[in-house]
Amino acid sequence: MSLKRLSIVSSLVFSSLMVAQSPSWAARVAPAQAPLVSYAVAVKHAAPAVVSIYTSKNQRGMRGGGYGRQMMPFSPYGQGMQPDAMSLGSGVIMDEDGYIVTNYHVIRNADQIDIALHDGRKTQAKVVGTDPEVDLAILKINLKNSACYTS
C-alpha cells in the first residue's frame, strides 16, 4: 500500500469519525419521528471483512507493572521472562491485497500480531504503517480469498 493510499484511507476514516460525532449531523439523521432502522443488511455485507486481532508482547525480565519491578532470573518461562501480555482488538480488511485498518492502540508495542478471519482462518500480520496521533494502523496479511469491505 502506497503512502498516498495510506494517507487517503486514514483521512477518510478520521473524517467519517468526526462527522459522526457532530451534533448537527445527528439531528439531521435521527429526527424525533424517525422510524426504527435495522442494520442487519449492512452487518451481513460487512461482517466477512471484519477481523479479530490478537497481539502479544513478551515481558522480558520484569515482574510487576509499576514501582518496584524486579528481574526474574529463574522464571519458569525462561531466563528473565514472564508470561506474555496479550490484548484483543478488531479491524477491517480494506482490499484484496490483505491490507487491514485498525486502531494504533491495538497493536502498539506488539511483538506478534495474529489475525482471525470471519471464516475461521488464522494468520499473522505485519505492521505497514501507523499514525499514533489519530490512533490508526495499517496491517498486511498474506491470505488468498480474504473478503474485503466494499461500499
Side-chain angles (χ1 to χ4, degrees), residues 14-96:
F14 182 73
S15 297
S16 66
L17 291 173
M18 296 310 295
V19 169
Q21 293 177 0
S22 168
S24 62
W25 177 84
R28 287 194 311 261
V29 172
Q33 68 275 13
L36 293 177
V37 177
S38 172
Y39 295 104
V41 173
V43 169
K44 184 176 181 179
H45 178 70
V50 176
V51 298
S52 294
I53 301 172
Y54 301 89
T55 66
S56 61
K57 177 171 178 44
N58 292 325
Q59 302 294 313
R60 292 176 182 87
M62 297 294 181
R63 178 175 65 197
Y67 180 78
R69 290 183 177 187
Q70 300 173 1
M71 291 298 291
M72 295 180 64
F74 302 107
S75 168
Y77 301 100
Q79 181 83 21
M81 299 289 286
Q82 79 176 41
D84 290 339
M86 300 180 75
S87 66
L88 172 66
S90 63
V92 177
I93 303 173
M94 296 304 293
D95 69 8
E96 299 84 13

